[in-house]
Amino acid sequence: MFLGILLLLPLTYLVLTLARIQGAAFSASLAGREAGRAFVTSDEDDHAHARAVAAATIAFEDFDFDREATLSVRCDGSPCLRPGGVVTTTAVIDVQLPLIPDFLAGSIPGSVTISSTHVASVDTYVAR
């Protein structure tokens, strides 16, 4: 019985940690993709960034990573929404590992960084 509990605790920790990291991977992938789509489908450059941030925020909140996540948007030229332009969105999530004791915090990493990059093209034949 004691051996079963001794083996079950690390296994449970591993499953919980891997589930959190997998959720972050899904969230980062979804946020980067949807932010890119929202950006390139916008009518104006002024509203495009706000739309991208709003789309990424929804994706981050779906997986409960809204406080640990950031989004960056880069364009390959100016203006961003010119026909044939390329917009690159990168979503980064800093996943805090659960239950790391204070005395081990200096010797092992307390977080894992997950990132996802999406490249979206602006339509060539769309009137803006």
Side-chain angles (χ1 to χ4, degrees), residues 42-91:
S42 181
D43 291 333
E44 301 174 359
D45 273 350
D46 298 337
H47 300 116
H49 193 273
R51 286 178 49 139
V53 169
T57 300
I58 291 170
F60 291 142
E61 287 176 352
D62 281 349
F63 291 89
D64 198 28
F65 288 109
D66 48 334
R67 288 179 292 281
E68 301 98 354
T70 58
L71 176 75
S72 65
V73 178
R74 286 187 328 225
C75 302
D76 69 338
S78 181
C80 285
L81 293 177
R82 71 188 186 292
V86 175
V87 176
T88 304
T89 55
T90 303

Side-chain angles (χ1 to χ4, degrees), residues 9-56:
L9 289 177
L11 183 63
T12 303
Y13 178 80
L14 181 66
V15 168
L16 291 175
T17 302
L18 290 178
R20 186 78 174 148
I21 292 172
Q22 184 67 36
F26 285 147
S27 180
S29 176
L30 179 66
R33 184 178 66 238
E34 293 305 318
R37 288 179 182 174
F39 195 97
V40 299
T41 58
S42 181
D43 291 333
E44 301 174 359
D45 273 350
D46 298 337
H47 300 116
H49 193 273
R51 286 178 49 139
V53 169

